[in-house]
Amino acid sequence: MHVQQRDKKLSESEIRKYLGGFGFSGDCVFDPVRHFSGGEKARLALALLIYNRPNILLLDEPTNHLDLQMREALIIALQTYQGAVILVSHDRYFVSSISDQLYWITQGKLLPFSGDIDDYQHAIQAKEDLLPTTHAPTKKKVNDNKNKVQQKKLDEKLITLEKKRQQCEKNLEKLETLFA
Protein backbone atom coordinates (compact mmCIF):
# COMPACT_ATOMS: atom_id res chain seq x y z
CA MET A 1 0.00 0.00 0.00
CA HIS A 2 2.67 2.49 1.01
CA VAL A 3 4.70 1.96 -2.15
CA GLN A 4 1.56 2.22 -4.26
CA GLN A 5 0.70 5.55 -2.60
CA ARG A 6 4.06 6.88 -3.75
CA ASP A 7 3.77 5.56 -7.31
CA LYS A 8 0.24 4.89 -8.59
CA LYS A 9 1.61 3.47 -11.87
CA LEU A 10 3.03 0.34 -10.22
CA SER A 11 1.20 -2.91 -10.69
CA GLU A 12 0.46 -5.22 -7.78
CA SER A 13 3.10 -7.69 -9.01
CA GLU A 14 5.76 -4.94 -9.17
CA ILE A 15 4.90 -3.88 -5.62
CA ARG A 16 5.06 -7.47 -4.38
CA LYS A 17 8.41 -8.02 -6.12
CA TYR A 18 9.92 -4.83 -4.69
CA LEU A 19 8.68 -5.44 -1.14
CA GLY A 20 9.66 -9.12 -1.43
CA GLY A 21 13.26 -7.94 -1.58
CA PHE A 22 12.75 -6.52 1.90
CA GLY A 23 11.19 -9.67 3.33
CA PHE A 24 7.52 -8.85 2.80
CA SER A 25 5.67 -11.63 1.06
CA GLY A 26 2.13 -12.78 0.45
CA ASP A 27 -0.72 -10.61 1.63
CA CYS A 28 1.36 -8.93 4.35
CA VAL A 29 2.24 -6.28 1.76
CA PHE A 30 -1.28 -4.94 2.31
CA ASP A 31 -1.39 -5.30 6.12
CA PRO A 32 -1.71 -2.15 8.26
CA VAL A 33 1.65 -0.99 9.63
CA ARG A 34 0.29 -0.89 13.19
CA HIS A 35 0.40 -4.71 13.19
CA PHE A 36 4.10 -4.84 12.19
CA SER A 37 6.92 -5.63 14.60
CA GLY A 38 9.68 -3.10 15.19
CA GLY A 39 11.95 -4.88 12.70
CA GLU A 40 9.22 -4.98 10.06
CA LYS A 41 8.55 -1.27 10.52
CA ALA A 42 12.26 -0.55 10.15
CA ARG A 43 12.42 -2.66 6.97
CA LEU A 44 9.39 -0.89 5.51
CA ALA A 45 10.88 2.51 6.32
CA LEU A 46 14.12 1.52 4.57
CA ALA A 47 12.20 0.16 1.58
CA LEU A 48 10.27 3.42 1.24
CA LEU A 49 13.42 5.52 1.65
CA ILE A 50 15.30 3.59 -0.99
CA TYR A 51 12.31 3.59 -3.34
CA ASN A 52 12.18 7.40 -3.22
CA ARG A 53 15.84 7.54 -4.34
CA PRO A 54 16.85 10.59 -2.31
CA ASN A 55 20.23 12.19 -2.98
CA ILE A 56 21.48 11.38 0.52
CA LEU A 57 20.66 8.87 3.24
CA LEU A 58 21.51 9.41 6.90
CA LEU A 59 21.50 6.02 8.62
CA ASP A 60 22.07 5.58 12.35
CA GLU A 61 22.59 1.92 13.29
CA PRO A 62 20.32 0.66 10.48
CA THR A 63 21.03 -3.02 11.17
CA ASN A 64 20.03 -3.03 14.85
CA HIS A 65 16.65 -4.72 14.36
CA LEU A 66 17.35 -6.64 11.16
CA ASP A 67 17.96 -10.35 10.82
CA LEU A 68 20.85 -11.68 8.73
CA GLN A 69 18.79 -12.01 5.55
CA MET A 70 17.53 -8.44 5.81
CA ARG A 71 21.02 -7.13 6.55
CA GLU A 72 22.19 -8.73 3.31
CA ALA A 73 19.21 -7.26 1.42
CA LEU A 74 20.04 -3.83 2.83
CA ILE A 75 23.69 -4.20 1.84
CA ILE A 76 22.70 -5.04 -1.74
CA ALA A 77 20.24 -2.13 -1.86
CA LEU A 78 22.84 0.31 -0.57
CA GLN A 79 25.56 -1.01 -2.88
CA THR A 80 23.35 -0.19 -5.86
CA TYR A 81 22.14 3.11 -4.39
CA GLN A 82 23.34 6.08 -6.47
CA GLY A 83 23.25 8.80 -3.79
CA ALA A 84 25.48 9.51 -0.81
CA VAL A 85 25.12 7.55 2.44
CA ILE A 86 26.21 8.91 5.79
CA LEU A 87 26.33 5.93 8.09
CA VAL A 88 26.79 5.50 11.82
CA SER A 89 27.19 1.84 12.74
CA HIS A 90 29.12 -0.48 15.01
CA ASP A 91 28.52 -3.33 12.56
CA ARG A 92 31.97 -3.61 10.98
CA TYR A 93 30.92 -6.14 8.34
CA PHE A 94 28.07 -3.87 7.26
CA VAL A 95 30.32 -0.80 7.13
CA SER A 96 33.03 -2.60 5.16
CA SER A 97 30.43 -3.97 2.73
CA ILE A 98 29.00 -0.61 1.70
CA SER A 99 31.56 2.08 2.42
CA ASP A 100 34.14 3.41 0.03
CA GLN A 101 35.29 6.31 2.21
CA LEU A 102 35.79 6.68 5.96
CA TYR A 103 36.23 9.92 7.88
CA TRP A 104 37.72 10.95 11.20
CA ILE A 105 35.67 13.29 13.30
CA THR A 106 38.17 14.77 15.71
CA GLN A 107 38.61 18.09 17.47
CA GLY A 108 35.57 19.49 15.68
CA LYS A 109 36.92 18.63 12.23
CA LEU A 110 35.91 16.12 9.57
CA LEU A 111 38.97 14.59 7.92
CA PRO A 112 39.16 11.86 5.26
CA PHE A 113 40.68 8.60 6.44
CA SER A 114 42.71 6.58 3.94
CA GLY A 115 42.36 2.90 4.69
CA ASP A 116 39.70 0.31 5.38
CA ILE A 117 37.61 -0.39 8.48
CA ASP A 118 40.35 -2.57 10.02
CA ASP A 119 42.93 0.22 9.56
CA TYR A 120 40.43 2.62 11.12
CA GLN A 121 39.96 0.29 14.12
CA HIS A 122 43.74 0.00 14.59
CA ALA A 123 44.19 3.78 14.33
CA ILE A 124 41.52 4.38 16.95
CA GLN A 125 43.12 1.79 19.23
CA ALA A 126 46.57 3.32 18.72
CA LYS A 127 45.20 6.78 19.51
CA GLU A 128 43.65 5.44 22.75
CA ASP A 129 46.94 3.75 23.65
CA LEU A 130 48.74 7.11 23.35
CA LEU A 131 46.44 8.81 25.84
CA PRO A 132 48.00 9.04 29.33
CA THR A 133 46.25 7.01 32.01
CA THR A 134 46.56 7.57 35.73
CA HIS A 135 44.75 4.41 36.76
CA ALA A 136 44.53 0.75 35.84
CA PRO A 137 42.07 -0.27 33.15
CA THR A 138 38.56 -0.44 34.48
CA LYS A 139 36.40 -3.52 34.31
CA LYS A 140 34.37 -1.75 31.61
CA LYS A 141 37.52 -1.34 29.48
CA VAL A 142 38.35 -5.05 29.87
CA ASN A 143 34.76 -5.97 28.94
CA ASP A 144 34.91 -3.60 25.94
CA ASN A 145 38.06 -5.36 24.73
CA LYS A 146 36.38 -8.75 25.13
CA ASN A 147 33.36 -7.47 23.22
CA LYS A 148 35.63 -6.22 20.42
CA VAL A 149 37.32 -9.61 20.20
CA GLN A 150 33.95 -11.38 20.19
CA GLN A 151 32.61 -8.96 17.54
CA LYS A 152 35.67 -9.58 15.37
CA LYS A 153 35.15 -13.35 15.64
CA LEU A 154 31.47 -12.94 14.76
CA ASP A 155 32.35 -10.71 11.81
CA GLU A 156 34.84 -13.31 10.56
CA LYS A 157 32.24 -16.08 10.91
CA LEU A 158 29.69 -13.95 9.07
CA ILE A 159 32.13 -13.36 6.22
CA THR A 160 32.88 -17.10 6.09
CA LEU A 161 29.16 -17.91 6.01
CA GLU A 162 28.61 -15.35 3.27
CA LYS A 163 31.37 -16.94 1.17
CA LYS A 164 29.81 -20.38 1.71
CA ARG A 165 26.39 -19.02 0.73
CA GLN A 166 27.85 -17.55 -2.46
CA GLN A 167 29.53 -20.87 -3.26
CA CYS A 168 26.23 -22.70 -2.68
CA GLU A 169 24.50 -20.29 -5.06
CA LYS A 170 27.15 -20.99 -7.70
CA ASN A 171 26.72 -24.73 -7.21
CA LEU A 172 22.95 -24.37 -7.45
CA GLU A 173 23.31 -22.45 -10.71
CA LYS A 174 25.51 -25.22 -12.10
CA LEU A 175 22.96 -27.84 -11.06
CA GLU A 176 20.12 -25.88 -12.61
CA THR A 177 22.11 -25.61 -15.84
CA LEU A 178 22.71 -29.38 -15.82
CA PHE A 179 19.01 -30.11 -15.21
CA ALA A 180 17.99 -27.74 -18.01
Side-chain angles (χ1 to χ4, degrees):
M1 283 296 265
H2 295 283
V3 176
Q4 193 172 35
Q5 288 173 352
R6 295 175 191 272
D7 189 348
K8 306 265 189 235
K9 297 175 188 171
L10 286 179
S11 68
E12 183 177 321
S13 64
E14 290 172 320
I15 293 169
R16 287 179 183 274
K17 181 179 178 183
Y18 179 74
L19 290 177
F22 289 89
F24 296 101
S25 59
D27 289 333
C28 78
V29 297
F30 299 108
D31 287 349
V33 176
R34 68 178 174 270
H35 299 302
F36 287 4
S37 69
E40 289 170 327
K41 288 177 182 177
R43 289 194 331 249
L44 178 60
L46 286 169
L48 293 173
L49 275 173
I50 291 170
Y51 185 79
N52 287 335
R53 302 201 190 292
N55 293 328
I56 188 168
L57 289 175
L58 297 169
L59 301 176
D60 184 8
E61 298 293 348
T63 60
N64 274 359
H65 301 289
L66 301 179
D67 60 21
L68 184 58
Q69 181 182 5
M70 290 316 305
R71 285 176 58 207
E72 290 301 317
L74 179 59
I75 287 170
I76 291 167
L78 291 174
Q79 286 173 340
T80 60
Y81 175 68
Q82 296 299 311
V85 177
I86 297 176
L87 173 69
V88 176
S89 179
H90 290 90
D91 185 336
R92 292 176 58 214
Y93 173 75
F94 181 72
V95 171
S96 66
S97 295
I98 66 163
S99 65
D100 56 7
Q101 182 65 53
L102 300 174
Y103 290 89
W104 281 109
I105 300 176
T106 182
Q107 299 176 351
K109 295 179 181 177
L110 179 70
L111 305 170
F113 180 83
S114 58
D116 63 12
I117 191 72
D118 292 323
D119 296 331
Y120 191 83
Q121 182 74 27
H122 294 304
I124 289 172
Q125 186 63 42
K127 187 175 181 180
E128 287 177 1
D129 290 344
L130 294 175
L131 296 175
T133 57
T134 56
H135 52 82
T138 63
K139 187 173 183 177
K140 182 182 182 318
K141 181 75 170 176
V142 171
N143 285 340
D144 285 347
N145 288 337
K146 285 182 183 177
N147 288 341
K148 288 178 186 176
V149 169
Q150 288 174 340
Q151 182 63 46
K152 184 174 181 176
K153 287 179 182 178
L154 287 173
D155 289 344
E156 290 170 354
K157 286 181 181 179
L158 186 60
I159 290 169
T160 301
L161 285 172
E162 176 59 19
K163 288 179 182 176
K164 286 181 181 178
R165 184 190 66 78
Q166 289 173 350
Q167 186 60 45
C168 287
E169 283 182 3
K170 289 178 184 176
N171 291 340
L172 182 60
E173 288 176 13
K174 289 177 184 176
L175 288 172
E176 287 175 346
T177 301
L178 287 173
F179 285 130

